[in-house]
Amino acid sequence: MLPDHPLTASDAAIPFSLVPTLTSAEVERLRTAFATRTMAASTRRALLGDGRLFVSWCGQTRHQAMPASRETVDAFLAAAAADGRSAATLRRYRSSLAWWHAAGGFANPCAGSAVAVPVPAPTLTDAAMAALLAFMDVAQRGYAPATLRATEADARRFAAWCGQQRLSWLPADPETVRRYIREIGKARKPTTVARYLASIALLHRAAGHENPCRHWRVDLERRGHARLPHGQRRQAAALTDAVLAPILDRLDPEQPGRPKPLKPIDLRDRALLLVGRDTLARADELVALRWDDLHPVDLALNPDAQPGEATIRIRRSKTDQEGQGAEAWLSAETVAALTAWRAVAPRWPADPGDEGPHTREGAFLFCHLSRSGAGERMSPAAVRRVVERRTGEANPLAVGFSGHSLRVGAAQDLLAAGVDLPGLMQAGRWSSPVMPARYTERLRATRGAVAKVRRGKDGRKPL
């Protein structure tokens, strides 16, 4: 039977503040993450209520609340189901517990992959452990959060496998790493295996141990795995101007003969697609754009500019981890779409999490909209869903589109318009020509030397 623990709005303490297994630093980390994270008021209430319910249940059943084991979470969810909680509520409980554990820097006890398996203790000396802890402290500031999450997940996966084989994972023997590649490589692509090896190597260097991934046995195993057939390389379908035009027409508020006015989500999606087209922004860059960084173009300083154009600053990107930022141009059509969206975008309380009058404009260009409420910032996954939904509405047979389709399509449009590879790299903020060349390889093949010569011999005008 689950305890009846109602949520009290006056209680400002986080649910896990009195859990005896947590240090004061870990409690403060949870409190800071909860206070500073941007989220809807309903989400904040759900996290507090679900967390308190879980802590109260753990206290009654003598389970450890944080970090919780998967068995504890399974028992809690089973008790909730027996108490009549719906499937949607159980999913929310899982999501809330995963959020609290991630905020505290703990493994997700709700995951079903090897990442959730407890990591065997490394066989390190005191000096090596001290070096590893010092590295992790510095890495929090020196590496991107996504890199740290990938490294932790890779390490847990490798450690779990070693635990099953009764082998040491840190330090690991080269033969252990070689066997690991051979066993997991059957279901992994070469790029994924290369990332696993990079994570293993990073942890060994951080602990002051010799890198086992540089051994010739490991290198040969990696090469052998790369030579195996792994299927054709997949690339997101290109959302070019030709594909995008009918989608934008469907979402144009000025379209004549429209039977009913557009909804706010339609105006948001149109603005999102246009901004993605103009900026070649990645999904995580799109959702991080802010209204404060949008500035109209000064026509006096730019005689070639058209009225209504603007620039927006991309503060940080995959190739700009230090946050130097870059300016991107927006067309007058895009700025008009942003203006129409801004007029109907939700407003928020003056203080985040407050229940006062909604008078504050959201900080980010694009917010989350759903039937259950609004969130002040979209997620990168939401960009993918927008692209998939809008392309599917325009063409029910459309497949292969994702959040990266805008970037791929814009790159192909620029090359078709005569932009060379350096110019394409500058427009998309690429630090290497590898990816833009891959995105446009089919189009470049039709403009290559062989195509030009053969067309000339056939009496056709070369491109």
Side-chain angles (χ1 to χ4, degrees), residues 334-388:
T334 301
V335 175
L338 283 172
T339 303
W341 155 240
R342 195 173 194 175
V344 299
R347 296 297 186 264
W348 313 92
D351 297 322
D354 191 14
E355 296 295 335
H358 290 205
T359 57
R360 178 176 62 86
E361 185 177 61
F364 301 97
L365 255 66
F366 306 111
C367 71
H368 171 74
L369 297 176
S370 69
R371 295 177 181 175
S372 60
E376 195 167 351
R377 177 175 175 174
M378 289 179 70
S379 67
V383 177
R384 171 183 57 79
R385 291 193 291 268
V386 168
V387 172
E388 290 178 344

Side-chain angles (χ1 to χ4, degrees), residues 146-186:
T147 302
L148 292 175
R149 289 194 298 269
T151 302
E152 181 182 3
D154 297 345
R156 289 186 176 278
R157 188 174 284 105
F158 178 59
W161 181 86
C162 289
Q164 295 172 356
Q165 307 296 323
R166 299 184 181 275
L167 298 170
S168 171
W169 71 276
L170 189 62
D173 188 78
E175 179 62 19
T176 299
V177 179
R178 188 198 68 79
R179 287 178 53 191
Y180 178 63
I181 296 175
R182 168 158 290 193
E183 183 164 326
I184 68 162
K186 301 172 184 177

Side-chain angles (χ1 to χ4, degrees), residues 18-207:
L18 300 180
V19 172
T21 56
L22 297 180
T23 65
S24 58
E26 290 169 337
V27 171
E28 185 59 32
R29 186 187 307 149
L30 287 170
R31 184 177 289 110
T32 301
F34 185 75
T36 58
R37 191 69 56 87
T38 301
M39 65 182 76
S42 58
T43 303
R44 197 174 294 275
R45 289 194 300 269
L47 287 174
L48 284 173
D50 297 345
R52 289 177 182 142
L53 183 67
F54 180 67
V55 170
S56 179
W57 178 86
C58 288
Q60 292 185 9
T61 58
R62 299 182 182 277
H63 284 83
Q64 180 174 301
M66 182 171 286
S69 65
R70 185 174 183 186
E71 291 73 20
T72 297
V73 173
D74 288 344
F76 169 71
L77 295 175
D83 214 33
R85 302 299 198 271
S86 66
T89 302
L90 296 181
R91 287 195 298 269
R92 194 192 73 203
Y93 288 164
R94 289 172 59 90
S95 178
S96 296
L97 293 177
W99 189 95
W100 282 113
H101 279 74
F106 300 110
N108 178 11
C110 306
S113 66
V115 179
V117 177
V119 176
T123 55
L124 297 176
T125 63
D126 292 341
M129 180 59 75
L132 183 60
L133 293 176
F135 164 79
M136 295 304 297
D137 181 61
V138 176
Q140 299 295 326
R141 302 186 298 273
Y143 284 98
T147 302
L148 292 175
R149 289 194 298 269
T151 302
E152 181 182 3
D154 297 345
R156 289 186 176 278
R157 188 174 284 105
F158 178 59
W161 181 86
C162 289
Q164 295 172 356
Q165 307 296 323
R166 299 184 181 275
L167 298 170
S168 171
W169 71 276
L170 189 62
D173 188 78
E175 179 62 19
T176 299
V177 179
R178 188 198 68 79
R179 287 178 53 191
Y180 178 63
I181 296 175
R182 168 158 290 193
E183 183 164 326
I184 68 162
K186 301 172 184 177
R188 303 293 191 279
K189 292 192 174 182
T191 52
T192 305
V193 170
R195 196 194 75 192
Y196 290 168
L197 293 177
S199 299
I200 295 171
L202 179 63
L203 290 176
H204 279 76
R205 289 197 303 269

